[in-house]
Amino acid sequence: EDQVTQSPEALRLQEGESSSLNCSYTVSGLRGLFWYRQDPGKGPEFLFTLYSAGEEKEKERLKATLTKKESFLHITAPKPEDSATYLCAVQAGVRWGKLQFGAGTQVVVTP
Amino acid sequence: GAVVSQHPSWVICKSGTSVKIECRSLDFQATTMFWYRQFPKQSLMLMATSNEGSKATYEQGVEKDKFLINHASLTLSTLTVTSAHPEDSSFYICSAPGAFQETQYFGPGTRLLVL
């Protein structure tokens, strides 16, 4: 059975304190791994799509990497506005669109 | 990026009534849209896939007679929660694939509270 596990569940950082979030997955036939940011009471906001091991993508203070078993979301010198829940999702198999989400990592960045 | 809207953003209804939620792709066409449900402190769970011009595909355990989905056009899908009960109270979110299938773009969500 496909599984997506995110760790840690919650992360409290001081402004400027870099850290990494982990998303480990067990799926058959990975087609894509997605990172989203979700603010309270809002829908997920797309950040990155990764397709193959070794791939990296960056956006401002965020950098996502992918291996054959896990993905990392690195937050460099975070600011309070980076506070959110970060969701990892995978799409596997032949059925486009069925995303399986991890439970998310809640990040709080304090000034 | 692509924009997906939902209406209403929140709704309160009495137990036994039906509630309709709209999901629109604003600047692109979507032959497929997806409906998710999210309970507090939990992640998103796919409920069903909405297909323009054909029947929706429901995930295991989701009652198709309770959650009616209609994909009326290439930019509009609706989810109707029929005979809503308090346990249906949740955050309902729709999504649509990007033009190049690069990801799914999510709407802002609809908060449903059934009293």
Side-chain angles (χ1 to χ4, degrees), chain B residues 53-82:
Chain B
S54 64
K55 291 182 179 180
T57 306
Y58 291 83
E59 295 301 301
Q60 193 172 7
V62 177
E63 299 175 58
K64 59 182 65 178
D65 293 331
K66 182 169 188 60
F67 298 99
L68 301 180
I69 290 173
N70 181 31
H71 202 130
S73 73
L74 289 173
T75 58
L76 174 63
S77 174
T78 59
L79 168 68
T80 301
V81 183
T82 62

Side-chain angles (χ1 to χ4, degrees), chain A residues 41-44, chain B residues 4-7 9 91-94 106-111:
Chain A
K42 297 187 177 180
Chain B
V4 176
S5 71
Q6 281 183 242
H7 178 81
S9 56
F91 192 49
Y92 292 86
I93 312 173
C94 69
F106 286 83
T110 296
R111 177 77 59 191

Side-chain angles (χ1 to χ4, degrees), chain A residues 6 34 36 38 41-46 48-49 51 87-88 91 95-99 101-104 106, chain B residues 34 36 38 41-44 46 48-49 57 59 91 93 97-98 101-109 111:
Chain A
Q6 290 189 246
F34 309 91
Y36 291 89
Q38 187 176 27
K42 297 187 177 180
E45 175 188 341
F46 170 64
F48 304 109
T49 303
Y51 295 102
L87 299 170
C88 167
Q91 189 210 334
R95 186 179 163 200
W96 164 249
K98 182 173 181 177
L99 297 183
F101 280 86
Q106 184 179 20
Chain B
F34 304 93
Y36 293 81
Q38 186 176 33
K41 302 294 185 182
Q42 294 186 26
S43 195
L44 283 75
L46 179 66
T49 302
T57 306
E59 295 301 301
F91 192 49
I93 312 173
Q101 308 282 321
E102 71 279 15
T103 190
Q104 287 186 33
Y105 294 97
F106 286 83
R111 177 77 59 191

